[in-house]
Structures are given as structure tokens and as C-alpha cells.
Amino acid sequence: MKVAVAGLRGFPDIQGGIETHCEELYPRLVELGCDVTVLRRKPFVRETPPRTSWKGVKFHDLATSRKTGAEALVHTFKSVWYAFRMKAEILHIHAIGPSVAVPFAKLLGLKVVVTHHGPDYNRLKWGWFARLILRTGECLAARQADEIIVISTVIRDLLREKYNRTRGVHLIYNGVNLPEQTESTAYIRSLGLAPGKYILSVGRFVEEKNFDRLIRACAALPLPEDCRLVIAGAADHPTAYSAALEKLAAGNRTVLTGMIKGSPLQELYTHARVFVLPSSHEGMPLVLLEAMSYGLPILASDIPANKAMNLPPEMYFPTGDEHELAHRLRQMMCDKTPKRIHYRIPDSCNWTHIARQTVEVYGSLCK
């Protein structure tokens, strides 16, 4: 099957949950016999020279606007046209914003699969017009996409309740790799950290991640002098929020690592004391799955996407409540015998299983 993929910035080594999802998924689809071309956004491609393929996945980089919001729309419409020209059997669009191009793809005769990664109009960064575009994209995907993949029961229920869409809706969860525990501490030592002496959080510097609330909550804790908060991530573009976050972190014993992957991130997960996810919005949080795979004690906001992970009740706190977050963290950090927890991660979160499910969706559409 000849598949064109749109809606993401690209991969490898490009920050974002959807980007990580696609980086894991599409090489496996190639192994299962798919001919995959990912249409990347040029402003996010950092390789010199740019790759034309990676692990069997073909790349075609398209120029787009550098303006936040417009970049995705311009890129997706150009991607639809490219998919038509390359005679793709299937166009797979990720996220609801880019799904505003679904009618254009259908007009050109393309078969369209949309993966709904979450109601992005709930993100704090968007103004009223961007929210309108996102809601329109969701509506058009629900009304016109041939098949829809949802990554959680929360999103499946949303499609049923808002649009009465149940036909061709496939629940395929996000995945997680088996953890690569490491004995090495070279990276964390280079940051001035010691094993078991830091609180970890991971994500992009956007308002709905609530990293500012996490920094203030940790600043209120009577932690030993050698304990730190570590936030692994960065902003896609410099913003007022990211600048304020960096300033807040500088005075509150917080280490900002920037965007990292591979062995440095493995070290951070392996040696952390506690993992915190304070978000007010998530689709299905990959970083939470990763923390679970490492057996870390977890403290997560009680939004539906996080609660769908079925963690013990004491691992949730009221979203946005800095006082309660600080109280729970104090209890966890005062535990004299820090432990690893054996979480039950279902087979449905295995990437090979996810790839096979996705191929079945493609196959049913091609028939």
C-alpha cells in the first residue's frame, strides 16, 4: 500500500507527542510491507543535508509558513496535493487542525484516514480563531474521513457524543517501548544531579503543561539542598510563556535540559525519584506511559486523559491546584525508601501490535 502521511512536523529528533508517535509507528509499517512517504515541514528539519529516508520511511520536505497556526494549515493543503500527485492509495492525516483539508483530499479522490490525537482546541495557547479552525477540523474529520483512529476511549466517546460517529472508528492506543535502564550517570552528573535526588517532568513549553505551577509547587517544598526539579523539553518557538518559564526556573532550583532523546532521556527516567505530569490538556500522554515503563512513582493531574491510564487514586491531584501538588510531592519525597512500581502496561500499548492494527485499517479501506 502506498501511504502519504501529513499533519505532523516530521521525524526523527523533532519534538512533540505526535512526532514521537509517528517515529515509532511508520518504520514498523514499512516492515509490514507499506510504502510510506512522510511529508515533513521544512522549518523543523535540522539535518544537513536533509534526509530523504529513514528506516525505510521516505521523506519529502515541503516549505510552509513560519507563523504559528498557519504553518500546519499551509503545509497540510500542500501535502494533500502532493499525495494526489504521487498517486497515494491512502492519505493519513494526524491531528484535528490539519483535518480541515479532508474535504479537499476527498474532492481529489483520495482515501483518508485521520488519527484524532485529542481535542486541541482545549489548549490554552490558542485564540478564538484558531479554536474555530480546530473545531472545524474535528467536525470535518468526523463527517468526511473514511476511517478514524482514536488513541483513547475519551476521544472515541467524544466522537460518538458530539457527532454520532461510530462507523469506521478504531481505538488504537499510543505505545511504549520496553524501558532501557542504564547504569550510566554521566549525563545527569553533567547537570549537577544525583540519582534519586530530582523530580522529573517531560514536555514542550506550552501553557497547558502547567510547568510554571510545578516550579512554584516545588519551590514551596522543604527539599534538601541537593534536590532539584528537572524539566526535559523546550519550546518550538520562543514565546512569552517560554521566556517567563526560563526566568522562573532560574531562581527556583530547576534544571531545564532542552529537547533531548535517546540515552540522556533514558538516564533521566532511570534515576529520577518521582515523575510529575501537571497538564491541563493531553490526548493520550506518551510521557506518562514512558514513566510507567520505568516503574517511577507518578503524580499526575486528574484530567480525563491521565485518569484513563488507571493509576492508583493517590497518584492523581486536582488539576491546577499548586497547594495540593506541593502537599503530595512533599509526601512522596519524604519517603525514606524510594521504590520502583510494577505497573501493568497492556499489550495494546505494544508498538508492533499498534502497527498491525493500523495496517488492518488501511487494508479494510483499500478493499
Side-chain angles (χ1 to χ4, degrees):
M1 285 174 282
K2 198 171 185 179
V3 182
V5 183
L8 69 159
R9 298 177 179 91
F11 62 81
D13 300 327
I14 296 176
Q15 182 176 229
I18 294 174
E19 286 69 28
T20 301
H21 175 103
C22 294
E23 185 173 331
E24 294 289 348
L25 175 62
Y26 287 106
R28 289 173 169 85
L29 292 189
V30 170
E31 291 176 2
L32 293 172
C34 294
D35 180 352
V36 178
T37 299
V38 171
L39 304 169
R40 304 192 298 177
R41 300 180 202 170
K42 270 189 178 178
F44 292 91
V45 176
R46 305 295 185 211
E47 314 110 13
T48 304
R51 292 182 175 93
T52 57
S53 66
W54 184 76
K55 294 187 177 180
V57 178
K58 300 172 186 174
F59 293 144
H60 185 79
D61 300 340
L62 295 169
T64 184
S65 167
R66 290 180 177 269
K67 187 175 180 181
T68 302
E71 75 180 47
L73 285 178
V74 172
H75 178 264
T76 305
F77 278 95
K78 292 176 81 169
S79 296
V80 170
W81 182 246
Y82 187 86
F84 170 71
R85 289 177 54 210
M86 67 176 269
K87 296 181 170 55
E89 294 176 78
I90 291 170
L91 171 64
H92 193 158
I93 297 175
H94 287 267
I96 58 173
S99 294
V100 295
V102 169
F104 180 44
K106 297 300 295 177
L107 183 66
L108 294 174
L110 291 165
K111 294 177 179 177
V112 181
V113 176
V114 169
T115 294
H116 192 325
H117 289 270
D120 290 340
Y121 42 78
N122 289 334
R123 294 184 185 274
L124 298 174
K125 66 178 180 177
W126 299 123
W128 70 269
F129 183 71
R131 291 172 193 266
L132 175 63
I133 295 295
L134 291 165
R135 290 182 185 278
T136 300
E138 182 183 73
C139 181
L140 292 172
R143 303 294 187 203
Q144 297 191 29
D146 294 287
E147 308 288 330
I148 301 180
I149 294 172
V150 296
I151 60 171
S152 74
T153 56
V154 174
I155 302 171
R156 181 189 61 190
D157 295 345
L158 180 151
L159 287 175
R160 184 184 67 245
E161 292 164 9
K162 285 182 69 173
Y163 306 104
N164 196 32
R165 174 74 188 248
T166 56
R167 175 195 57 79
V169 176
H170 309 270
L171 176 60
I172 303 178
Y173 291 103
N174 260 332
V176 64
N177 292 313
L178 291 175
E180 296 185 37
Q181 303 278 355
T182 176
E183 296 290 327
S184 172
T185 60
Y187 177 71
I188 65 169
R189 300 283 184 191
S190 73
L191 299 175
L193 304 171
K197 295 285 188 178
Y198 58 92
I199 298 163
L200 176 63
S201 195
V202 179
R204 282 188 292 160
F205 289 1
V206 288
E207 292 177 57
E208 64 269 15
K209 295 298 183 183
N210 284 338
F211 289 142
D212 54 330
R213 295 181 182 274
L214 176 58
I215 293 172
R216 287 193 293 267
C218 288
L221 296 178
L223 294 176
E225 185 59 34
D226 59 347
C227 283
R228 295 287 185 273
L229 167 64
V230 179
I231 302 176
D236 292 329
H237 311 282
T239 63
Y241 178 76
S242 66
L245 197 64
E246 290 167 4
K247 185 177 180 181
L248 183 63
N252 286 292
R253 293 192 297 171
T254 300
V255 177
L256 305 179
T257 68
M259 200 281 282
I260 57 170
K261 289 192 173 185
S263 56
L265 189 58
Q266 291 164 13
E267 272 194 40
L268 284 175
Y269 274 121
T270 299
H271 302 295
R273 178 72 172 269
V274 175
F275 181 85
V276 184
L277 186 62
S279 307
S280 59
H281 171 83
E282 293 284 349
M284 182 186 175
L286 272 171
V287 293
L288 200 53
L289 274 174
E290 289 173 351
M292 291 169 65
S293 74
Y294 280 85
L296 287 173
I298 289 170
L299 197 52
S301 55
D302 61 353
I303 58 175
N306 289 346
K307 295 201 77 172
M309 307 301 289
N310 295 315
L311 297 172
E314 64 273 13
M315 291 190 180
Y316 293 106
F317 71 95
T319 306
D321 190 333
E322 292 177 32
H323 177 77
E324 185 63 20
L325 173 56
H327 174 66
R328 300 283 189 89
L329 276 173
R330 184 182 296 112
Q331 290 177 325
M332 297 176 85
M333 295 299 288
C334 286
D335 187 350
K336 300 299 183 184
T337 55
K339 55 186 178 297
R340 288 297 183 258
I341 300 167
H342 180 69
Y343 299 96
R344 183 185 175 276
I345 298 177
D347 293 339
S348 56
C349 292
N350 176 282
W351 279 114
T352 300
H353 177 70
I354 291 164
R356 289 173 181 151
Q357 287 180 294
T358 304
V359 166
E360 287 174 9
V361 174
Y362 292 170
S364 66
L365 185 53
C366 284
K367 288 178 185 176

